[in-house]
Amino acid sequence: MKLVTFRTQASSSERHGILEGERIIDLEAGLRWLEKDQGRAADRAAVVERYGNGLLGFIEHAEQARPAADELQRRAREGKLPDAHDGAPIVRAASDVALLAPLPRPPSMRDGYAFRQHVETARRNRGVAMIPEFDLFPVFYFTNHQAVIGPGELRVLPKHLERLDFELEAAIVIGKRGRNVPAARADELIFGLTIMNDFSARDLQMEEMKLSLGPAKGKDFATALGPYLCTLDELTANTTRTDKGNVFDLGMRAFVNDVQVSTGNVKDMNWTFAQILERASYGVTLYPGDVIGSGTCGTGCFLELNGSKITKDQWLRPGDRMALEIDGLGRLEHTVVLDDGACAIG
């Protein structure tokens, strides 16, 4: 199932739905119709209480919400789902809506460092040896979960444009609470996968990391997720179970102004998501909706590509079109826009 959050032209409110080919099944409207069809209370309050509010609520109520969504999808495929209920559209053309990040405000967001090729190459390009601790345990940092964006514009300020970079990553979304979860069971926590673009202002990042506290202003202005959240059952054919956790065979590509600059595969992660989850959940409770990125794949950013002379001092500029693709997870597109930087309070 491919789950989306979107806005319509008629309203600025966020809605959530199932992407079904060129159509979107509006989950709130569809569930209200389904509840009425099955003889239960179908007002909005009753539906929200049973199935959750928004996509985060859907994940939190997945035990009830997922079977109901499966039923809506089945009826749609059989031509048995009405186009509207009580004046509210159930089925919409995907071209008529604007997709947002599947989870516009996740409870928390961590980003890993799981691809050896990226780490090793980036360090070699800086003239330093590969750090041996990489092989001892998976690491991650916390990034700004309130600065998540979906497809569309990447709005930046002048200092962000001082070596503005993309990062080609996959990310998992947590579906169940978990604490002290071993890697052997950690895949049970994963609700689904999406594409992550961990945009980076490299000059800001390099300045602040001299103080040994990790990235902050170099990362906190925008992290992109989307275009949809893909549930694990959609990826069964590309999933291999190992004693270290599931491995996902999903090709990865990045394009700038329609020119491909990066190629990778999620299966090349040297630490699995399950191993990252074991580390992240040690002494800490993970919650539904928490997002954890894989880290950048090999060749998956200009910092690495420029250092390897694959590209020549290339960075993102206003007007550039950026697109990330991962097999099964779609295509996440952005255009770089210089923001006016106006002060906003309240």
Side-chain angles (χ1 to χ4, degrees):
M1 183 173 289
K2 298 178 175 68
L3 294 161
V4 295
T5 298
F6 63 93
R7 286 196 182 104
T8 67
Q9 295 178 351
S11 173
S12 61
S13 62
E14 296 173 2
R15 303 194 67 81
H16 61 300
I18 305 167
L19 182 63
E20 178 75 11
E22 300 299 318
R23 304 179 300 169
I24 290 175
I25 302 170
D26 186 300
L27 273 169
E28 182 184 317
L31 290 170
R32 290 184 66 181
W33 170 81
L34 186 64
E35 292 292 274
K36 184 175 181 180
D37 184 67
Q38 296 179 345
R40 291 192 289 265
D43 60 283
R44 184 178 188 276
V47 168
V48 167
E49 182 178 1
R50 184 173 177 82
Y51 299 116
N53 186 23
L55 191 48
L56 177 57
F58 181 93
I59 295 169
E60 293 171 333
H61 292 73
E63 188 173 340
Q64 298 86 26
R66 180 61 197 273
D70 286 336
E71 178 67 11
L72 286 177
Q73 193 170 42
R74 182 186 68 81
R75 295 201 188 195
R77 290 173 177 177
E78 294 175 353
K80 298 177 181 178
L81 187 66
D83 289 336
H85 172 66
D86 280 350
I90 295 177
V91 181
R92 304 172 184 266
S95 59
D96 290 343
V97 307
L99 292 183
L100 309 176
L103 287 169
R105 289 167 299 281
S108 76
M109 179 176 288
R110 299 167 173 85
D111 199 11
Y113 206 40
F115 289 91
R116 169 180 275 277
Q117 180 184 345
H118 168 68
V119 179
E120 196 166 32
T121 303
R123 293 182 67 84
R124 183 173 65 245
N125 291 343
R126 300 201 308 271
V128 295
M130 181 60 181
I131 187 166
E133 284 79 6
F134 178 87
D135 298 309
L136 300 180
F137 49 85
V139 295
F140 61 86
Y141 70 95
F142 283 91
T143 192
N144 187 359
H145 66 123
Q146 297 285 9
V148 171
I149 64 172
E153 292 184 343
L154 167 66
R155 304 193 69 86
V156 295
L157 295 174
K159 287 186 179 180
H160 299 137
L161 290 168
E162 295 170 4
R163 297 197 292 168
L164 178 63
D165 208 350
F166 71 96
E167 296 197 31
L168 173 55
E169 307 188 24
I172 56 170
V173 174
I174 302 302
K176 300 176 181 178
R177 285 192 185 191
R179 184 182 181 94
N180 301 325
V181 181
R185 295 196 58 191
D187 287 308
E188 297 175 31
L189 298 185
I190 301 176
F191 182 85
L193 276 74
T194 190
I195 301 173
M196 175 187 280
N197 195 335
D198 177 31
F199 290 108
S200 302
R202 296 300 188 189
D203 275 11
L204 288 172
Q205 179 188 359
M206 297 308 172
E207 286 178 356
E208 62 196 2
M209 289 187 70
K210 293 176 183 177
L211 298 171
S212 301
L213 283 179
K217 297 310 297 179
K219 297 278 192 177
D220 74 349
F221 57 98
T223 302
L225 299 175
Y228 51 77
L229 173 58
C230 183
T231 56
L232 288 186
D233 54 293
E234 292 265 341
L235 304 173
T236 301
N238 304 91
T239 304
T240 300
R241 297 186 182 277
T242 77
D243 58 358
K244 297 178 180 179
N246 287 343
V247 173
F248 302 98
D249 184 3
L250 305 170
M252 310 171 74
R253 296 164 294 278
F255 302 82
V256 177
N257 298 325
D258 301 319
V259 176
Q260 185 170 347
V261 295
S262 304
T263 303
N265 196 300
V266 179
K267 72 179 180 180
D268 294 330
M269 292 171 63
N270 294 84
W271 294 101
T272 65
F273 280 119
Q275 291 172 309
I276 298 171
L277 285 168
E278 180 179 75
R279 176 81 173 183
S281 69
Y282 179 74
V284 171
T285 301
L286 304 180
Y287 291 91
D290 285 353
V291 174
I292 302 179
S294 63
T296 310
C297 70
T299 78
C301 65
F302 279 137
L303 180 68
E304 182 183 338
L305 294 167
N306 289 333
S308 300
K309 311 302 181 186
I310 296 171
T311 52
K312 184 178 179 181
D313 197 31
Q314 184 174 356
W315 305 99
L316 294 174
R317 304 298 304 167
D320 281 350
R321 302 184 313 279
M322 178 77 243
L324 305 185
E325 291 180 352
I326 299 182
D327 294 344
L329 306 185
R331 180 180 173 97
L332 180 60
E333 300 181 342
H334 294 91
T335 300
V336 181
V337 175
L338 181 60
D339 192 84
D340 60 15
C343 175
I345 298 176

